[in-house]
Amino acid sequence: MMLTRWRRNPVGSVGERPFFSLWEDMDRLFEEVSKGLPSNPLAHTDRTAGFSPRLDISEEKDRYTLTAELPGMNENHVEISYDDGFLTLKGEKKTEVENKDAQYHRIERSFGKFERTIQLPQEIESEKIEARFRHGVLTVSLPKAKVVEKAAKKIEIKAG
């Protein structure tokens, strides 16, 4: 992809026309950026590498619930870990069908490894975390740790 500008003969030198210098700089910038773009407009241009699942996190009185869309995957493709307030999902979505005779013009399915780490705002009872996988949706239940409310106490000040 080559961006070209409409050219006309500038009157005076670059020093007399400060916007001409800016124009030249912008041309160079667009040429550098466009070097990485495919020349075929039907080519896949998604610059995100691999697959990144969509996550929803909801909060209830006693727990957080994380839901991840993982179409085409199952529980064997995903690893979940919790460490010091951080929940990490790791996995890999693999392509299973290869048709060497077909000529693809565009492929919109994404494949690859992913890793998502979410910091939770409250301590979790890690031994009670549960995860379920059903119809391409992973649901993780994260029970909140019991918060011990401490009663206010008046501190007496002693003389001397």
Side-chain angles (χ1 to χ4, degrees), residues 78-156:
V78 184
E79 178 184 311
I80 306 169
S81 62
Y82 176 78
D83 184 26
D84 197 26
F86 292 90
L87 181 74
T88 301
L89 301 178
K90 293 181 186 178
E92 184 173 5
K93 185 174 181 182
K94 297 179 181 181
T95 179
E96 297 174 7
V97 178
E98 183 179 330
N99 185 348
K100 293 183 180 185
D101 295 331
Q103 181 180 357
Y104 290 98
H105 293 280
R106 183 173 184 94
I107 297 176
E108 292 189 346
R109 286 170 283 164
S110 54
F111 301 96
K113 292 182 180 183
F114 68 88
E115 181 173 330
R116 300 280 310 262
T117 299
I118 300 97
Q119 182 176 11
L120 299 167
Q122 185 176 338
E123 195 60 38
I124 300 298
E125 291 187 41
S126 60
E127 64 280 352
K128 294 184 180 179
I129 295 174
E130 294 180 358
R132 297 187 190 281
F133 202 100
R134 185 172 180 193
H135 300 297
V137 177
L138 173 68
T139 304
V140 182
S141 177
L142 304 141
K144 295 178 181 178
K146 302 284 187 232
V147 177
V148 179
E149 292 186 28
K150 298 179 181 174
K153 179 181 175 185
K154 186 175 180 179
I155 309 296
E156 182 182 336

Side-chain angles (χ1 to χ4, degrees), residues 5 11 49 57 60-61 64-65 73 89 92 138 143 154 159:
R5 68 167 192 259
V11 177
I57 302 173
E60 298 171 31
K61 183 179 179 181
Y64 295 99
T65 302
M73 298 178 73
L89 301 178
E92 184 173 5
L138 173 68
K154 186 175 180 179

